[in-house]
Amino acid sequence: MKPFKANVVIMIVTLFWGSSYLFMKMGLDSVQPFNLIALRFGLAFIAAGGLFAGRLRRNTDASVLKHASLLGFILFGVFASIMLGLQGTSTSNAGFLMSLTVIFVPVLSAVFGKSMPSKRLVLGVLLAMTGIGLLTLRPQSGIGFGDLWCILGALLFAVHMMLTGRAAKTSPDPLCIGIWQLGFAGAFGLVFTVLWETPRLPGSISGWVAVLALSLVCSALGFILQTMAQQYTTATQAGLIFALEPVVAAVFGLLFMNETLSVQGYAGAGLVLLGVALSELNVSRLLGRKKQPRREAAG
């Protein structure tokens, strides 16, 4: 798979995840947060594991389980942080703070990697972050406890993305890691549900629709595609494409929840798109200019 096709796959995953906010809101009307995590990832593991049962039996080894357990634990931490954060901050602030993943990925790459991101990627990140702020941020005094949970969730998701990319490039079968991590995330959700909540199944049709959409589309298909695609792209580029998630969420809110965007919101959405385009397109080549050879660290 070429890097461009890998980024297209990640864009599709972003569409899935952007729709997840709508389904999470529906699901939380029927079950509690940890319970929803357990159902979401548990059913996703059953579906994906059943589809690729033979492959899992052949290619699962200690290394796969080691990577998957770590990724699954971090994945559970991401969604647990989001749920806890939403109890102490607004939805718009939570969306903005979770999008700090776009900043955390290149920062972590610079700190722990061997090279800095390119100037083009840095500018794209800055434009995307400005757009996310315009799209989702609302006036709020200070930083609350819920905000800190969301910042932790964004940091954990950045770590998850980087470790996913590393595991996918070193494992002989990244698909197995992608499937097993769903099972581990669901198991951690079940443990926390038993400890702090009352396990139950959705009691309404809308609740089941939400759980199945989150399980089969947003989780099973989404995270498996992410794991496979990140073999052929960089964590920074993947993180920047994922910055489109609040834009997708806003579109779904407009279509299905009768929400509207202000002029500020449309400006923010445009900046996010511009940031992604700037990072992915070779402007000099599009303008017909010959690219001069220069030393540039990969992003």
Side-chain angles (χ1 to χ4, degrees):
M1 184 185 297
K2 295 182 179 180
F4 175 76
K5 290 184 178 179
N7 290 334
V8 170
V9 172
I10 292 176
M11 181 72 73
I12 294 173
V13 173
T14 302
L15 294 176
F16 293 161
W17 290 351
S19 69
S20 69
Y21 290 99
L22 172 65
F23 294 121
M24 278 193 287
K25 185 171 183 179
M26 293 169 55
L28 287 173
D29 290 335
S30 298
V31 295
Q32 294 173 290
F34 291 136
N35 199 163
L36 183 59
I37 293 174
L39 287 171
R40 172 178 182 169
F41 292 108
L43 291 176
F45 173 71
I46 292 173
L51 184 62
F52 296 98
R55 189 165 175 175
L56 286 179
R57 285 194 299 269
R58 290 192 304 270
N59 298 333
T60 297
D61 56 19
S63 176
V64 167
L65 293 177
K66 180 183 71 174
H67 287 300
S69 61
L70 176 59
L71 291 174
F73 179 72
I74 297 174
L75 190 61
F76 165 76
V78 170
F79 285 91
S81 298
I82 294 173
M83 299 294 185
L84 293 172
L86 284 171
Q87 296 178 5
T89 191
S90 65
T91 302
S92 58
N93 264 32
F96 171 74
L97 293 171
M98 279 302 302
S99 297
L100 287 174
T101 296
V102 179
I103 291 296
F104 286 139
V105 168
V107 169
L108 292 176
S109 296
V111 172
F112 297 105
K114 297 181 180 180
S115 62
M116 295 289 291
S118 66
K119 293 180 180 179
R120 184 158 51 94
L121 281 174
V122 170
L123 181 57
V125 167
L126 293 176
L127 285 173
M129 283 306 304
T130 302
I132 290 170
L134 291 173
L135 181 66
T136 60
L137 190 62
R138 299 292 182 272
Q140 186 181 23
S141 59
I143 184 168
F145 193 65
D147 297 320
L148 294 177
W149 275 113
C150 290
I151 293 174
L152 176 60
L155 178 60
L156 288 174
F157 192 41
V159 172
H160 179 271
M161 287 177 57
M162 294 185 65
L163 292 179
T164 295
R166 182 177 301 177
K169 291 175 180 177
T170 58
S171 172
D173 194 344
L175 178 62
C176 287
I177 296 178
I179 294 174
W180 278 111
Q181 75 163 340
L182 300 176
F184 280 107
F188 287 120
L190 180 59
V191 169
F192 276 72
T193 300
V194 172
L195 291 176
W196 283 289
E197 298 176 350
T198 302
R200 57 172 294 184
L201 296 174
S204 65
I205 295 177
S206 63
W208 274 111
V209 169
V211 167
L212 291 176
L214 288 169
S215 301
L216 302 180
V217 178
C218 301
S219 298
L221 189 56
F223 283 105
I224 290 173
L225 288 177
Q226 178 210 3
T227 303
M228 297 179 68
Q230 278 197 238
Q231 297 175 82
Y232 307 100
T233 187
T234 65
T236 301
Q237 286 180 320
L240 195 55
I241 294 174
F242 288 138
L244 285 170
E245 186 176 320
V247 178
V248 177
V251 171
F252 273 90
L254 179 66
L255 294 177
F256 299 105
M257 301 176 68
N258 296 321
E259 296 178 353
T260 58
L261 280 178
S262 62
V263 174
Q264 173 183 311
Y266 282 112
L271 284 177
V272 171
L273 292 171
L274 180 61
V276 172
L278 180 63
S279 70
E280 295 301 309
L281 298 178
N282 189 321
V283 178
S284 296
R285 183 176 299 175
L286 289 177
L287 293 176
R289 299 174 184 173
K290 184 177 180 180
K291 186 176 180 180
Q292 298 297 322
R294 62 187 178 91
R295 298 185 64 182
E296 179 179 284

